[in-house]
Amino acid sequence: MLAFLLLLPHLAAAQVAEIEDVVVNSTRQTTARESIPASTGASTTTLDRAAIERMPQGSAASLNQILLQAPGVVQEAQGDLHVRGDHRNLQYRINGVTLPEAISGFGQMFDARALRSVSLLTGALPAQFGYRTAGIVDLQLRSGATDPGGSIGIYGGSFGQVQPAAAYGAAIGPFEYFLTGNVLQSQRGFENPTRDRDAINNDTQQIRGLMNLGYQVDDFTRISFIGATNQSRYQVPNVPGQPAQFTAFGQDSFDSAALRARQWQRSSFGVLAVQHSRDTWDLQVAGFARQTSLNYLPDLVGEMVFNGAAAETRKRNLSAGLQADAVWRVAPAHTIRAGLFASRDVTQNISNSTVLPLNGAGVPQDAPFTIQERGRIHGQLYGVYVQDEWRLTERLTANFGARFDAMRQQVDATQLSPRANLVWRVTDSTTFAIGYARYFTPPPSELLTAPALFRYGNTTLAPEVPLASAPRPERTNYFNIGLRQRIGEGLNLGVDGFYRDVKDMQDLGQFGSAYIFSPYNYRVGRVFGMELTASYRQGPWLTYGNLTLSRSEGRGLVSNQYFWSAAELAQVESKFVRTDHDQLITGSAGVSWQGWDGGTLSSTLVYGSGMRRGFANSQSVTPYATINIGVAQEFTLAEGGRWTARLDLLNLTDRSYQLRDGTGIGVGAPQYGLRRGIFAGLSRAL
């Protein structure tokens, strides 16, 4: 692959005369494509390529690490994220096309090498955005026509991390391409379940690749294909010194440090899109497909001795669909947007659960046997929307519309969802926005199961509450109000207030040994909070800071009740409880300085007051703050070639902090954040 990348510049050089026209057309098509989504009224945070490169880790940063610098984003284990009091529920759009989320999440699918910009949209979203609405992660990919060239290099350091990577793009006649690929090996796959610096049995190997291809048919039409894959293998880390709880296979003792469970996570997707832009019209039609899987292989004897059960878990999901979006600038004061979405999912669940039988007194007997389950769940989503961006005056814009959605899943449901936003540019430096959105959020089909609970009766896996009602779609009334103030040339301040009134509030939890989430619904829920933001960009300085206060709580449980204890169900039925991912205070900040020729010094901070723990999520883990610093230097060697060297120090103070302590609703195990690590990288521009 590297040899191929090194040859590509010579192939592209033969087509220099044609590149200028390709760049002009590609830029025009990109501008037209980016005008299709409407963010009017939404709270938007954008990190362009320059801002990403100036962060610690730079191009080696994963997508979830970049998003942690946006307001209201809470870090979770396994690279997951929570935004404004929601659990996951993020919609990922790549060059304007919606992608279904993978079983293992999406935050680690990409690194920054492929990204031109990352935007996070939250609040009362226009009618164009449906289904996953806690936040819209809008990814714009680098293009071979507008961003030719690339790099090849290696990055690594603490915890045995080694990550060679390459990226390259160019244009050849009407054809353009951008390719990235990297291989990661590390001794820190999942979060450490202990406060020690190094975990036992926690190696990972990961392969990621992405291609962005485009062909300019004529001045008005462009065809593109985007494909990506992530193939990951994990060891599952252990907690040493755990006491044995059961006798199985004739063994009543086992060294918990010797457990050797493993997990494989795979995800691939492809998008084929046709874009046509002419006069007052912009249109994009895209077909997409995504396949994702997760396989968990337990340490059979060890898990039986400690847990009384060991479950081999296999889950696979195939999703395919069609999306069409159009913009019609019908008049100077009106821009009409309309579109449709349709997708079909098939989720395959396989589990082989080895359990112990219980005698008449409820005592486990050393006679292990296996319960096998096989099942398929089919799901379909359909949606249409129309909206009008109406410029009432030079300073006042209304964006109103509606979408209609239907789901065919374990539960069938429909909803008409009105949306309305009003944006008032009070002065040239002051903007006020208020909005309302009705949301319809189907359960994540890739995580659904349909367990036969009766088969586990009188075994060590028998649920205390033998009820598994199907997850329901969440229905939300969302209110958002925001104010933006620019001071001088470079300082921008913002404040947002938000409130969600929710029926059948969705949440996710890890309820077994496998690192996989399962959905459930509270009967009602409410989420409210406030967001403060500030940024300054002037000369060599780039600084920003975010502070979010929020509360997320639910009452009553109406689906997948078997995950919970009878005491927890009774508590949640009688009062509102905090959701497991609720964090009262979330903060992030960053500063970078390009104070010398080719050099950048940067630092970022992430603060959390702690997610929930204890019985019915009644307490929180200890607050934490982590600081990262980085320095990067570009230089040119005598024989030619532009190089970049960087040095990053993550968790500067070596703070040992918990994301989870193993208690609370839907919390599978203790999980500690990254201890101090020193990483370095060297790359050469191509």
Side-chain angles (χ1 to χ4, degrees):
M1 177 181 178
L2 298 182
F4 173 68
L5 288 171
L6 292 173
L7 285 173
L8 288 175
H10 303 289
L11 295 174
Q15 306 292 331
V16 170
E18 301 178 50
I19 288 178
E20 185 175 348
D21 288 339
V22 173
V23 171
V24 171
N25 286 329
S26 180
T27 301
R28 183 169 57 243
Q29 295 288 346
T30 299
T31 302
R33 183 189 68 229
E34 293 178 358
S35 74
I36 293 176
S39 59
T40 304
S43 300
T44 305
T45 301
T46 298
L47 295 170
D48 60 17
R49 178 137 200 92
I52 294 171
E53 291 280 10
R54 291 172 65 167
M55 295 170 57
Q57 296 187 279
S59 291
S62 61
L63 177 58
N64 63 300
Q65 292 168 326
I66 295 170
L67 290 172
L68 280 175
Q69 298 305 308
V73 180
V74 177
Q75 69 170 327
E76 173 64 279
Q78 307 166 45
D80 257 358
L81 301 170
H82 312 302
V83 177
R84 286 193 172 187
D86 225 324
H87 193 145
R88 211 183 258 187
N89 191 25
L90 296 173
Q91 180 183 132
Y92 292 86
R93 297 170 68 95
I94 297 181
N95 287 0
V97 180
T98 302
L99 285 179
E101 193 168 359
I103 292 172
S104 54
F106 211 100
Q108 301 187 72
M109 184 80 181
F110 293 101
D111 59 32
R113 294 175 185 87
L115 302 176
R116 181 166 59 85
S117 69
V118 179
S119 297
L120 177 65
L121 284 68
T122 57
L125 302 171
Q128 186 166 5
F129 303 108
Y131 309 125
R132 305 284 167 245
T133 51
I136 308 298
V137 182
D138 183 23
L139 308 176
Q140 297 297 324
L141 300 181
R142 297 172 70 182
S143 160
T146 58
D147 191 13
S151 64
I152 183 170
I154 189 168
Y155 185 83
S158 299
F159 311 106
Q161 178 172 324
V162 179
Q163 187 177 21
Y168 190 78
I172 304 175
F175 174 71
E176 61 176 288
Y177 61 89
F178 199 93
L179 311 174
T180 67
N182 69 82
V183 178
L184 170 66
Q185 182 166 326
S186 172
Q187 295 168 1
R188 193 181 188 279
F190 292 126
E191 279 72 19
N192 194 341
T194 74
R195 67 174 58 252
D196 295 337
R197 175 176 175 79
D198 298 309
I200 302 171
N201 192 57
N202 199 21
D203 288 359
T204 183
Q205 295 84 38
Q206 303 176 26
I207 299 174
R208 303 186 188 100
L210 178 140
M211 65 172 64
N212 181 17
L213 312 178
Y215 184 80
Q216 196 73 36
V217 179
D218 54 39
D219 290 346
F220 309 103
T221 307
R222 184 176 185 271
I223 300 174
S224 63
F225 174 79
I226 303 169
T229 187
N230 182 6
Q231 309 288 317
S232 302
R233 177 185 181 275
Y234 296 89
Q235 296 175 338
V236 178
N238 305 326
V239 179
Q242 296 297 296
Q245 302 291 330
F246 300 88
T247 298
F249 301 104
Q251 292 188 223
D252 58 4
S253 64
F254 198 96
D255 181 5
S256 62
L259 288 167
R260 291 297 180 264
R262 291 163 287 166
Q263 184 162 306
W264 288 263
Q265 297 176 180
R266 302 178 178 92
S267 184
S268 302
F269 71 81
V271 174
L272 181 63
V274 178
Q275 181 190 348
H276 185 78
S277 301
R278 186 189 294 264
D279 301 326
T280 60
W281 284 89
D282 295 317
L283 172 68
Q284 179 168 276
V285 179
F288 61 85
R290 189 225 56 218
Q291 186 174 47
T292 178
S293 67
L294 182 148
N295 295 345
Y296 175 80
L297 185 64
D299 185 314
L300 179 61
V301 176
E303 291 191 31
M304 291 295 294
V305 170
F306 291 110
N307 304 324
E312 177 187 0
T313 303
R314 301 179 186 177
K315 180 179 281 285
R316 289 173 174 79
N317 175 270
L318 175 63
S319 179
L322 177 73
Q323 177 181 327
D325 298 282
V327 176
W328 179 26
R329 289 171 285 276
V330 61
H334 292 274
T335 299
I336 305 296
R337 290 176 171 87
L340 60 86
F341 180 92
S343 70
R344 185 176 186 273
D345 283 77
V346 179
T347 303
Q348 181 183 18
N349 295 298
I350 299 175
S351 67
N352 299 309
S353 301
T354 303
V355 298
L356 300 176
L358 306 180
N359 63 17
V363 178
Q365 305 298 296
D366 187 6
F369 67 98
T370 299
I371 300 173
Q372 296 183 339
E373 282 202 75
R374 306 288 186 274
R376 288 179 182 270
I377 296 175
H378 296 263
Q380 298 173 41
L381 287 178
Y382 305 97
V384 295
Y385 74 89
V386 63
Q387 63 193 42
D388 180 15
E389 185 177 317
W390 182 9
R391 288 165 289 282
L392 297 164
T393 70
E394 183 181 348
R395 294 187 177 274
L396 190 62
T397 300
N399 193 10
F400 60 92
R403 63 178 298 126
F404 179 79
D405 297 295
M407 59 170 276
R408 301 289 180 265
Q409 219 177 59
Q410 289 177 302
V411 173
D412 295 345
T414 61
Q415 181 173 293
L416 177 65
S417 305
R419 311 282 179 88
N421 284 287
L422 189 66
V423 180
W424 178 26
R425 193 160 54 91
V426 183
T427 69
D428 290 343
S429 59
T430 305
T431 303
F432 173 79
I434 187 169
Y436 164 79
R438 176 74 168 158
Y439 289 148
F440 176 78
T441 305
S445 59
E446 69 275 5
L447 300 180
L448 295 177
T449 59
L453 298 183
F454 69 91
R455 302 183 67 183
Y456 299 92
N458 295 316
T459 73
T460 44
L461 267 186
E464 187 174 340
V465 180
L467 184 59
S469 303
R472 307 176 182 181
E474 177 182 289
R475 304 174 189 268
T476 302
N477 292 305
Y478 199 118
F479 303 88
N480 194 91
I481 186 170
L483 180 67
R484 298 290 181 270
Q485 179 67 51
R486 187 179 74 252
I487 301 176
E489 292 298 321
L491 179 61
N492 292 279
L493 304 176
V495 58
D496 280 85
F498 57 91
Y499 178 80
R500 291 172 53 206
D501 176 53
V502 191
K503 178 183 178 183
D504 295 328
M505 181 180 185
Q506 287 186 23
D507 203 352
L508 302 172
Q510 181 193 341
F511 296 96
S513 298
Y515 282 65
I516 184 172
F517 286 115
S518 299
Y520 56 91
N521 297 89
Y522 293 96
R523 184 176 64 254
V524 293
R526 57 195 181 199
V527 182
F528 51 91
M530 176 177 289
E531 232 168 49
L532 304 173
T533 62
S535 66
Y536 178 79
R537 193 168 190 167
Q538 189 73 20
W541 291 97
L542 170 61
T543 65
Y544 60 87
N546 308 300
L547 183 67
T548 302
L549 292 84
S550 70
R551 184 178 180 116
S552 172
E553 53 191 15
R555 181 172 182 173
L557 196 72
V558 292
S559 68
N560 279 337
Q561 297 89 337
Y562 72 100
F563 289 136
W564 298 42
S565 69
E568 288 172 329
L569 280 175
Q571 179 79 352
V572 173
E573 188 63 34
S574 64
K575 61 183 293 187
F576 277 93
V577 301
R578 308 282 283 274
T579 58
D580 69 292
H581 56 272
D582 179 59
Q583 182 165 273
L584 177 62
I585 305 173
T586 301
S588 61
V591 58
S592 68
W593 176 56
Q594 293 180 324
W596 66 94
D597 186 26
T600 301
L601 181 65
S602 62
S603 179
T604 57
L605 175 144
V606 172
Y607 172 81
S609 61
M611 291 183 289
R612 309 306 295 178
R613 69 177 183 90
F615 173 73
N617 302 330
S618 56
Q619 300 170 290
S620 63
V621 298
T622 304
Y624 66 89
T626 59
I627 300 172
N628 302 332
I629 60 174
V631 59
Q633 178 66 55
E634 293 184 357
F635 58 93
T636 302
L637 296 181
E639 65 273 17
R642 183 165 54 90
W643 295 76
T644 301
R646 67 176 312 114
L647 179 67
D648 299 307
L649 182 57
L650 307 186
N651 194 354
L652 174 66
T653 61
D654 197 24
R655 173 68 184 272
S656 176
Y657 65 98
Q658 281 187 325
L659 296 173
R660 301 290 195 178
D661 76 344
T663 67
I665 298 169
V667 179
Q671 294 159 333
Y672 284 79
L674 179 76
R675 295 290 294 270
R676 181 165 56 211
I678 301 175
F679 301 88
L682 182 64
S683 63
R684 183 186 187 277
L686 297 176

